[in-house]
Amino acid sequence: MNEHILDYAAVGVGPANMSLAALAHSVEGLRGAHLERRETFSWHPGLLLPEATLQVSLLKDLVTLVDPTSPFSFLSFLATEGRLYRFLAADFPAVLRTEFNQYLKWVADRLPSLTFGADVQSVDFREGAFQVRTGDSEVTARHLVLGTGLTPSIPETFRPFLGPSVFHSGEFLLRAPDVTGKRVVVVGGGQSGAEIVRHLATDAAPESVTWASRRTSFQPMDDSPFANDLYSPEYVRHFHALPAERKARLLERQKYTSDGIDLQVLQDIYRLSYRDEYLENNPGRLRFLPDCAVTALEGGPDEFKLHTESSGLDAPAMLAADIVILCTGYAYELPDFMATLAPRLRRTDGLLSVRDDFSLDWDGPDGNRIYIQNGARHAWGVADPNLSLLAWRSAVILNSMLGETRYQV
Ligand SMILES: Cc1cc2nc3c(=O)[nH]c(=O)nc-3n(C[C@H](O)[C@H](O)[C@H](O)COP(=O)(O)OP(=O)(O)OC[C@H]3O[C@@H](n4cnc5c(N)ncnc54)[C@H](O)[C@@H]3O)c2cc1C
């Protein structure tokens, strides 16, 4: 093989591809490039709220469940940073997301295969290799690994209003809106909505905080043992082999094992509302509207009117707001740089066909694979966007690229 051709090029450095880089680090002779458009590592910086925690065990870090002896584990980070005993004594119910971000940055600093400030703009396939182009350079590799994460979902009706007063939850801390004396409406009843409502409710500054959700109640995440079994290699392999219609039905039924709200956050919000009502003499400052769909937005730039459809208790047909935060979730989109190769990818009912080593079914040579991380919920189930199987999925991909069982999966 031409020495200029790397074994693989991975696009995007979030936890998914960083897990791959961490596991690949000890594989002698394997040459990979990991390209990230951000100048430095940061994990969902717009939602890195100081009180937010992980929703999974600290053992679900980049490597531990596949290689507990790896120097890139969360425990290794704590030990190296000299805080293992203090961490134990602090006895957090869950790891703070700001600390997990520190851990991820710490790993990023130790992996020479990562390149930041490399925005991938196009990928071609020629003469047995992928040509991956950023603004000013090109990488040639035998395999391609897509790890570009999910894209914010913003309903069409809100798009014309996007700006400093109407924005997606993922931009919350980056926009840092001044909420003093403002009426804030948070749209969306999942985890991001709950975290933002808790954050705003703790702050006395907003005049009011209204939380509207289409869901019939603010539903907790099912974090029970049998639900957690869905996030195991055995289960996802079983899921992957099921027929497509069955998968679609199961995804709907299993939704609240990941898309529900962390119970602690719900309890915090409820107690903050109790405090406002009975201890601070501020009833109604926090307002909860389950079973309330926001169907349209009008007005701006200073005051917005939100039209709603609801069968919930006390829900108004119209809400007034100074700031609207759209906690409307995320979805996978094939990145624009795949435009040339997209027609060569096989789809079933419009969905990418994903093989059991996480490679996409395409019309190119079998010796050149396009792997996908966190873009195949339809094929692999509710665990796909989650941290739970990060290390396992990276190990499956590495084994496939190497053509041998380097890691037990
Ligand atoms: C706020 C938040 C909290 C979460 N907390 C948890 C949790 O506690 N537990 C859990 O299991 N899951 C959690 N998740 C879900 C999931 O684990 C995370 O979203 C995780 O970051 C997904 O990792 P990723 O590497 O697939 O994508 P991302 O972290 O989104 O990383 C993708 C990277 O690709 C880069 N990129 C995109 N396009 C290009 C390009 N053209 N060129 C170069 N680089 C590019 C992006 O800049 C980004 O850095 C959370 C999600 C969010 C939004």
Side-chain angles (χ1 to χ4, degrees):
M1 179 66 74
N2 181 330
E3 64 176 40
H4 298 298
I5 301 181
L6 300 177
D7 294 298
Y8 72 93
V11 186
V13 178
N17 269 344
M18 217 199 309
S19 164
L20 179 70
L23 291 176
H25 187 68
S26 63
V27 182
E28 222 164 280
L30 183 71
R31 296 184 314 141
H34 291 252
L35 307 169
E36 165 59 45
R37 63 154 65 118
R38 288 194 168 116
E39 294 299 327
T40 55
F41 179 83
S42 56
W43 189 40
H44 297 306
L47 271 169
L48 210 53
L49 299 165
E51 63 281 3
T53 61
L54 280 195
Q55 276 97 57
V56 292
S57 156
L58 62 82
L59 298 181
K60 292 180 168 180
D61 62 13
L62 299 175
V63 289
T64 298
L65 290 176
V66 162
D67 180 6
T69 65
S70 166
F72 301 116
S73 67
F74 186 72
L75 284 181
S76 174
F77 155 74
L78 292 178
T80 309
E81 293 296 293
R83 57 173 99 150
L84 203 42
Y85 284 91
R86 293 266 287 144
F87 180 81
L88 271 179
D91 197 21
F92 290 105
V95 176
L96 289 167
R97 224 152 56 213
T98 46
E99 188 162 33
F100 203 71
N101 181 53
Q102 272 189 359
Y103 154 66
L104 294 170
K105 274 182 191 279
W106 176 88
V107 176
D109 287 344
R110 282 157 180 74
L111 291 172
S113 63
L114 311 186
T115 304
F116 290 88
D119 188 355
V120 172
Q121 285 162 13
S122 68
V123 178
D124 280 318
F125 183 75
R126 264 186 278 123
E127 295 162 21
F130 294 99
Q131 273 83 40
V132 181
R133 264 183 299 279
T134 65
D136 51 13
S137 66
E138 182 173 289
V139 167
T140 309
R142 204 171 126 218
H143 302 295
L144 180 67
V145 188
L146 304 176
T148 50
L150 304 181
T151 307
S153 299
I154 300 174
E156 216 39 62
T157 172
F158 300 119
R159 286 186 183 273
F161 300 91
L162 292 177
S165 304
V166 180
F167 51 84
H168 190 266
S169 54
E171 296 172 46
F172 181 63
L173 290 176
L174 307 176
R175 295 227 174 237
D178 178 7
V179 292
T180 312
K182 302 274 173 63
R183 296 159 299 172
V184 185
V185 175
V186 176
V187 181
Q191 180 68 17
S192 303
E195 287 184 5
I196 288 177
V197 167
R198 175 174 65 176
H199 188 76
L200 292 170
T202 315
D203 182 351
E207 180 186 309
S208 66
V209 179
T210 303
W211 189 16
S213 170
R214 206 200 308 251
R215 297 179 185 177
T216 50
S217 68
F218 295 104
Q219 267 177 280
M221 189 183 306
D222 180 355
D223 194 18
S224 59
F226 291 103
N228 280 324
D229 267 350
L230 304 179
Y231 295 75
S232 66
E234 292 76 12
Y235 183 77
V236 299
R237 282 229 176 275
H238 160 77
F239 185 95
H240 181 254
L242 294 172
E245 333 72 76
R246 181 117 178 85
K247 286 183 184 179
R249 262 184 289 139
L250 282 174
L251 280 174
E252 202 41 49
R253 288 195 206 144
Q254 296 169 351
K255 191 177 160 88
Y256 289 102
T257 61
S258 63
D259 285 1
I261 301 163
D262 182 54
L263 188 58
Q264 181 64 55
V265 181
L266 282 177
Q267 281 170 339
D268 290 348
I269 293 171
Y270 200 91
R271 288 168 188 161
L272 285 164
S273 135
Y274 181 95
R275 187 196 65 181
D276 263 12
E277 188 158 351
Y278 301 111
L279 311 177
E280 306 281 343
N281 196 21
N282 209 350
R285 189 178 82 99
L286 305 180
R287 193 173 181 200
F288 305 103
L289 302 176
D291 200 1
C292 175
V294 177
T295 52
L297 192 58
E298 63 180 53
D302 297 324
E303 191 188 46
F304 299 90
K305 299 261 182 265
L306 291 84
H307 295 254
T308 66
E309 259 172 31
S310 170
S311 50
L313 195 66
D314 293 337
M318 187 87 88
L319 291 169
D322 305 304
I323 297 177
V324 181
I325 305 174
L326 305 169
C327 304
T328 40
Y330 295 83
Y332 185 74
E333 278 174 21
L334 195 66
D336 290 347
F337 62 75
M338 288 294 287
T340 311
L341 295 178
R344 304 184 62 178
L345 306 177
R346 198 164 80 81
R347 292 171 183 267
T348 311
D349 295 331
L351 299 170
L352 292 168
S353 186
V354 190
R355 297 187 280 223
D356 65 1
D357 61 352
F358 290 90
S359 67
L360 297 175
D361 203 350
W362 78 307
D363 69 3
D366 200 39
N368 300 99
R369 302 209 170 178
I370 304 169
Y371 298 94
I372 188 166
Q373 302 239 46
N374 187 7
R377 190 174 177 271
H378 62 281
W380 283 96
V382 285
D384 196 61
N386 196 267
L387 295 178
S388 295
L389 291 175
L390 214 63
W392 173 79
R393 184 174 58 203
S394 297
V396 170
I397 292 173
L398 259 184
N399 286 350
S400 167
M401 287 198 285
L402 293 167
E404 62 178 50
T405 306
R406 168 76 192 201
Y407 288 105
Q408 288 300 329
V409 290

